[in-house]
Every structure is written in C-alpha cells, then in structure tokens.
Amino acid sequence: MLSRLIVGRLFGLNRQVWPLRQYHLESYGLRFKGGPKTPKGVRRKTTEAGEDKSGHINAGPNEGILFLDNVFPLKLRWLLHLPFINVDKSVPELLKRLNSPRIGAADPLSIIQKALPKDLPINVTEVLPRLKEGGAFVKFSHEPHIEAKEIEGTLQAYLKENPIKPWFNPWRRVRTFLVKGRPWVEDLYRFPSSRLRVEFLPVEPGGEAAELSQETLYSVFRRYGKLADIMPQPADSKVMPKFALLNFRLVRHAIMAKNCMHGFVVPGSEGGGTAGTVIKLVYEQKMKAHWIRDWIVNHPRITIPLIAAILATVTAAAFDPIRTFFIKAHVTHSFHIADNTYYKWLMSQVTRANDLLSFKRQKADDAGLSVIWDERKDDIEQIQAWLMETADTFVVIQGPRGSGKKELVIDQALKDRRNTLVVDCKPIQEARGDSATIGATASQVGYKPVFSFINNLSSLVDLAAQGTIGTKTGFSETLDTQLDKIFQNTATALKQIALADRAKDDKDADLGDDEYLEAHPERRPVVVIDHFLHKSTEGSTVYDKIAQWAARLTTGNLAHVVFLTTDVSFAKPLSRALPDRVFRQITLGDCSPTVAKRFVINHLNADTAGLSPSSSSSSSSSTSSTTNATKLPPHPSQQRPDLAELDDCIDTLGGRLPELEFLARRIKAGQAPAAAVREIVDQAASEILKLYLLDGGDEDASTPPRAWTAAQAWELVRALAAQPTLPYHAVLLSDSFRPCGAAVLHALEQAELIAVVAAAGGRPQGIRPAKPVYHAAFRLLTADRVLTARLDLAVVEGLVRAETERIRGWEEELRVLAEVVGKGGGGEGLAARWRWLVGKVRGGQERVEGWEGEGGRARGVLRGGEVGGAV
C-alpha cells in the first residue's frame, strides 16, 4: 500500500525526531535527510486500511486527528484501476521526480511539513496519506491544558496567512480541519464524488435515530465548503436507514466533509434526537452505473435507428473501397490467368508444338464461325464504330436465340477491348428470393464481399422491433436498395477504370473528369448486358434497375452499354430509362443457305489428320512433277456422296446455328444428312408437344401456370404448318385469341414457340415459328391424325363454351325486353334492339352447330384410333 506509518514526532520542536521521518517516508518514496536512529518502542507501520487494517484511526486522550487536503493530485486516482502498477510506491516516486528543487512545497512531504508551523505545540505521531482523496490524515498529541479546537483554529489561521499552493493545483491552497468523527479509511474501489450520502443511525443497536433536517445538515457541513443542494429522502421511500444527499460545489469539499464528519454523533440539543444520531457518510456517484446501457435499452425508437445508421456508415466506409477494388479487378481481368500476356504466349507455343508433333492441320476458327463473321463483317464494324463515338445512347443487338449475338459482340467486336464487363441477366432473373438475387447480381459485377444473408436476419430484427415498439427500425433494406448499392459501386469502379490512364502531362489535363470522358470515348469501358428481358413476364424489377443503371452510365459518359436480347419489345423498358434517345439497333437473323452450307462443311473438315508440314510444303511446291510427290488426302466433305442432299436439309433447318452444329456433328458421326434432319425435326416436335400442347395436369403444383392454353398454342401450330407467316392482327381477331390475345402472343413469344416480326416502325406485323426447324415440326405434328383430332376437339369445346356464354347473355337481354314489351312499353327502338339480338343468337347458334360438327368428326377419329404419323 501507498501508506506507511510515520512514527514519532515529525514536525515537533524537538529536533531529535527528524531521523524517524527518514526511515518511514523512505518506505514509500518520500525522504528526509540526516539524523540519528529511531527511538525504541514506537509502532512503525500502518496502511491505507487504518491501524492493523481495521479501517479506522483511533485517537486517545490528549490526541487529535487533522485532515489536510490538496496534498496529492486528485486526478491520479484513475491509477488505482491499473492492476500492473504498484501505486503505493510508484506514484510518490513519480511525484518526487517531477518536482523541481526550485519550487517550494512541491512534494507531499514538503507540503505536510510546511503546513505545520514549527511553533505549533503538538507532536505528530502518525501520518496516513490518502492518495485517491488527495489528502492525508495527521495524528498528533498535545498538552492536556490545550484544546484540539484551539490547535485547529491556530493552524487554519496560519494556512490562511501563509497559503501553500502545490504545483499540481496552483489555484487552490492547502486546507485542514479537525476530524470530529471516527473516519473510515477504507481502500475499496470507491472514488470521491461531489455528492455525499448521509445515513442516520442510532448510537446503540436497537435504538432510534432522528432524521436530521436540512437546516441541521447545513449548519453541520457548510463549514467544509459551499453546498449546492440538500436532498432529503423522499417521503414515500422505504429504504432503511434513513438518508439525505448533500451536493457540494467541489469534490475536495465533499472529501473534507466525509473524512472529518464520518461517525460523528449529533447530540439531541442540535437535532439528533433523544439519544443522539450517528451520521455515516458515503460517496454517491452522480453518474448512475450503466446509464448508457439503460438509456439505450429504454429508448429503442431512437437508439435502434441510430445504431443502424452507424452500422451502415461503418460498413460503407470499411467495405465500399474493398468492393470497388474487386469490381475493378473483375472488369480489367487482373486476376484472370487466361488473360495474362505471358500465359497466352506460353499456351500458343504449347498448342503450336502439339499441332506439329501430332501432324494436325490448323483447326477451323471455332469450327466454322469464321464463315459467319465474314457474312456479318459490316455489323461488327458498325458496332466498333458506335463504340468510338460520344453519343449517349444504347446499342441494342436483337435476334432469336442461337443467332450468335454474344459471340458477335464479345468475340469479334470487342476482342481488342481491354476493359469489358459482361452482365448476364439470366441467373439474376432466375434466382429465387431477395438474397439469391442479390448474390447473383454481385457475382456478375465482381461485387465482394457481399453479405446477402444479413438481409434476412435484418428483416427478422425489423419485424421483431416493429412488433415491440410499433415502428420499423430501418435495419432491413429492400431489394431495390441493395441493387442500387451494387450498381453504384460498379459505376464508381467503371469511372476509375476510365480515368486510370489519364496523366498530368496530357494535352487535356486541364479538363474535368466529365469533359475528359466525353472527349475520349475510346477510354470508356464497355458493359454488355446479356439475356436482357429473359423471362420478363415473371417480374420486371431487375430489368428496370439494370436499365436505369445503364442510363446513368451512358449519360454520365462512364461506359458504353450494349444490350443483347431476343425480345422484340425491348424498346418499352429502355425508353423508360432513356425517354429522349434513339437507340442504335442491329437485328440478327438466320444465316443464308450458302453460308449455312459452308458452316456445316467447315465443321466436317475441322480436326482432320494430315501430313507433316515438310511433306505438305514439298507436295505443294512440286505440282508440276507428280511422280514422287505425296498427294494430300481429300477433305471428309469430298468423300461423302450423301452430301448432295445437304441443300435440302439446310432448307428444312434454316440458318440457326445450334441446329446446324447438331447436323454437322451427326454427319461427322456417320449419319446421313436426311436421317440427321429427321432426328432433329422429331426432337423439336417432341419438345413442342411437351412444352406447349400438353394439358399440364401432371405438372408440379409449384410450377407457375401458363399464360396460354393448349388450344391457343395448337391454333398457331396448325396455322403456321399451313403457311410460314401469319398476319399479327388477323390472329388477334380469331375466336381463340379474342380475350387478351396480345398477352397470350407475348407469352408464347417469351416461351420461344413463335417469333413476332416487327414492321419498320416497331409495330408487330407478323407471326412465324421461333425456329426455322419448327415449321417442319409443325407439319409433322399436324400429320398425326389422332393428335390433331384431340387438339381440334379441345379447341372446338373451348369455342363452344365461350359462344354459349355469349348466347346466354343475349337470351337474358331478350327475356328482359320481352317483359318490357308485355307491360306495354317499348317502341321502334326496342324493336331494332330485338332484331339485333335475335340475329346475334341465330349467328351464334349457327357457329356452335358448325363447331359441333367439327367436334363430332374429331371424336370419330379418336374412336377409330387411326394414327397418321408417329411423334
């Protein structure tokens, strides 16, 4: 402990006691110089816990106790919390080293020495420092004829005339008061406060204690310092013992009052009751323990949104730079080893060596795709020219599935572009749930780290808080908010990429970022949005967000945006994002028959064995002398006599790339072209029958219902089997498509059964099969008499039901008119209406009879079980 008992007369008139100070003050770092040995028979030790660690200091006859404040710095009490510091020894030694020899009354010993004048008639017997209270108890003895109060008054007058102001508190002097009670010198972790709790206890156990009035408390404690307030115990309080609270203006005043008055007995003459009242003093902390935690718990409407805002701010400050870095790495392909220059060179050398050692000819460019690119060279150059211009609009590549949109843009038009970002909308749209959608979107742009699962937890917390406090906390974020964050970070990364190569010594260095990007469109990255409007009937939230983000990129000159879509109605969602722009559009169709045939032949000739380069070169250089030259073997396409029927097969399949690749693989496997085409057509017919024409009664309950009926799909199949293209509006006027026919046609187009042909202005003009091979598949399906009869019967029954409902409505109106006429009403107007209704009923009935006849013939076919063709 910091304290050591200083035995003897420290500051008496007898000079022989000075050596005693040296021994005991050295024990805690405070030293006097010189002197003989300590006299015998004197106690040498005490602690901050009092005599024999009892917690009290006892004063006998002719003895008294003084308390001196401002001896130690009060701000050092926080050191008592540190477990690894010996405060009892370290603090006094530190104070000793900080003291300057030029400053009087600098260390605690000097303060105590100067506070007690040499001519004071007392002998100091003990000194008990109180580090956490900034003072010290001084126990002394005096002559019997001298009162302790006289010594107190003399000492106070001396300190007032000769103020002692230590270096650590130069604005306040040392004060001293006589201890009237029995001080409790504990070493607990209780620290001084300007508020004292005064408890009223009886003198003897079992006795009664009086509750002191505010006037009595004021008269007792005012001498130790200015009181700010006296708060008695509330009248309805049941807390025992009775108490009152004293608020001093300064902490040192409260310390002096506690150490001088603790254990003091207030006599009855001063308001202490019959037997007197003992007052016990305890420091009362003004700041309530755990008040921060209690305030947070008791004010959830304020704290929970505040915590949410703090978490959002910290998350944005900590993770947004990391996410921007990963997005930039994803766009620039920094971590893709396949895009590394050295890796590409190494793989090219390995591939070249492998071809030389295995005596293989050079492979065709992606198995014949070079033929396609030769035909679409103008489209490739047009896209590249658009990406070099500053026009802030979209580039849209529209075409049916399998027309090579992605390969045209990424592999050809952008093959020399370094910074490209491909966003595939298909996994985003097919994701189930907000968390899956957020994760799929983040993976497309390289947004890492993403905590999509936290959104579900936040929603649960928000729901619980709403049930508890009645309002939402703001923890959970909607899907729109999360997508906005991802796209905002992506836009920031794209801008940094576009400005990455900008140097200070450029000729455009004086331009701002926006002006620079507008002046250099070649520096902007390219964003390719693939599968745009894929399954858009299931929800358009994602597509609206993507279109808005693409509009911000384009109008802000941050990037070029290219949309790849199969939907001919792409202009509607894009126009909402850019209403005042005209889009740049390229429509891709099927290959021409000549290009399709060359594509299949190139596939057949790819990866065929040949001679070594030396023999090939020698044979080619010796064409004039064929004596010893080795002739190159003919290509496989030249060895197949059945390829003469390839023209007819391509006329059936059309110029769609997936069907042409399948045909080439089947022919390469040894199958005849006609047989391969029949297999492709049979597979397409089975696909149409399963996806569009079956009733779907065995489908899973979780499968979303179709937007069309089997009868409506069969109407289109039967009509397109007879002619390749149908007028769009003629189909809408047919009986099967009369209610909401445009929505049904759009759903069938999204399901890829039909393709809507648009006119020059974007107006729907015609309907044709979604794939060229579907035309042959439609003819195959309609050749099956049983299937045709079954589906025709379903169509007829649907038409009869609809017409019967209409007739029933007309008949009801006729009944009402008959009642009006029977009551004497009516006239020429009712007669005209009557004739119109009768004509409608007659025409409807004739149509129903005609459909019934068609249904009867279909039932006859079904009863006979005749099968015209197998599907």
Coordinates of all heavy atoms in Angstrom, one line a residue, residues 1 42 153 351 390 393 561 566 597 632 640 687 742 757 824 860:
M1 N 0.8 -1.2 0.0 CA 0.0 0.0 0.0 C 0.9 1.2 0.0 O 2.1 1.2 0.4 CB -0.9 0.0 1.2 CG -1.8 -1.2 1.3 SD -2.9 -1.4 -0.1 CE -3.9 0.0 0.1
V42 N 8.3 2.3 19.4 CA 7.3 3.0 18.6 C 6.8 2.2 17.5 O 7.6 1.5 16.8 CB 7.9 4.3 18.1 CG1 6.9 5.1 17.4 CG2 8.5 5.1 19.3
G153 N -7.9 26.0 15.1 CA -8.0 27.4 14.7 C -6.7 28.1 14.4 O -6.6 28.8 13.5
T351 N 0.4 -25.1 -77.9 CA -0.5 -25.6 -78.9 C 0.1 -25.8 -80.3 O -0.1 -26.7 -81.0 CB -1.7 -24.5 -79.0 OG1 -2.3 -24.3 -77.8 CG2 -2.7 -25.0 -80.0
T390 N -19.3 9.5 -79.2 CA -19.6 10.0 -77.9 C -21.1 10.1 -77.7 O -21.6 10.7 -76.7 CB -19.1 11.5 -77.8 OG1 -19.6 12.3 -78.8 CG2 -17.6 11.5 -77.8
T393 N -26.3 7.0 -75.9 CA -27.4 6.1 -76.1 C -27.0 4.7 -76.0 O -25.8 4.4 -75.9 CB -28.1 6.4 -77.4 OG1 -29.3 5.7 -77.5 CG2 -27.2 6.1 -78.6
V561 N -22.7 1.0 -73.3 CA -23.6 -0.1 -72.9 C -24.2 -0.8 -74.1 O -24.8 -0.1 -75.0 CB -24.8 0.4 -72.0 CG1 -25.7 -0.7 -71.5 CG2 -24.2 1.1 -70.8
T566 N -33.4 -11.2 -77.0 CA -34.3 -11.9 -78.0 C -35.6 -11.3 -78.1 O -36.4 -11.7 -79.0 CB -34.4 -13.4 -77.6 OG1 -35.0 -13.5 -76.3 CG2 -33.0 -14.0 -77.6
K597 N -24.4 -23.7 -95.5 CA -23.8 -24.9 -96.0 C -22.3 -24.8 -95.8 O -21.7 -25.9 -95.4 CB -24.1 -25.0 -97.5 CG -23.5 -26.2 -98.2 CD -24.0 -26.3 -99.7 CE -23.4 -27.5 -100.3 NZ -23.8 -27.6 -101.8
L632 N -2.1 -34.8 -100.8 CA -2.9 -34.6 -99.6 C -4.2 -35.4 -99.7 O -4.8 -35.4 -100.8 CB -3.1 -33.2 -99.3 CG -1.9 -32.3 -98.9 CD1 -2.3 -30.8 -98.9 CD2 -1.4 -32.8 -97.6
R640 N -17.9 -37.8 -99.0 CA -19.3 -38.1 -98.6 C -20.2 -37.9 -99.8 O -20.6 -36.8 -100.1 CB -19.8 -37.3 -97.4 CG -19.0 -37.5 -96.2 CD -19.3 -38.9 -95.6 NE -20.7 -39.1 -95.2 CZ -21.2 -38.8 -94.0 NH1 -20.4 -38.4 -93.1 NH2 -22.5 -39.0 -93.8
E687 N -40.5 -31.7 -78.3 CA -40.3 -30.6 -77.4 C -41.5 -29.7 -77.5 O -42.0 -29.2 -76.4 CB -39.1 -29.8 -77.8 CG -38.8 -28.5 -77.0 CD -37.6 -27.8 -77.6 OE1 -36.8 -28.4 -78.3 OE2 -37.4 -26.6 -77.2
A742 N -53.2 -10.3 -77.2 CA -51.8 -9.8 -77.3 C -50.9 -10.3 -76.1 O -49.8 -10.6 -76.3 CB -51.8 -8.2 -77.2
V757 N -42.7 -10.7 -85.8 CA -42.0 -9.9 -86.8 C -42.5 -8.5 -86.7 O -43.7 -8.2 -86.8 CB -42.2 -10.5 -88.2 CG1 -41.3 -9.7 -89.2 CG2 -41.7 -12.0 -88.3
G824 N -96.4 -3.2 -71.9 CA -96.9 -2.1 -72.7 C -95.9 -1.1 -73.1 O -96.2 0.0 -73.7
G860 N -65.0 -39.0 -83.9 CA -64.9 -40.2 -84.8 C -63.5 -40.7 -85.0 O -63.2 -41.9 -85.0

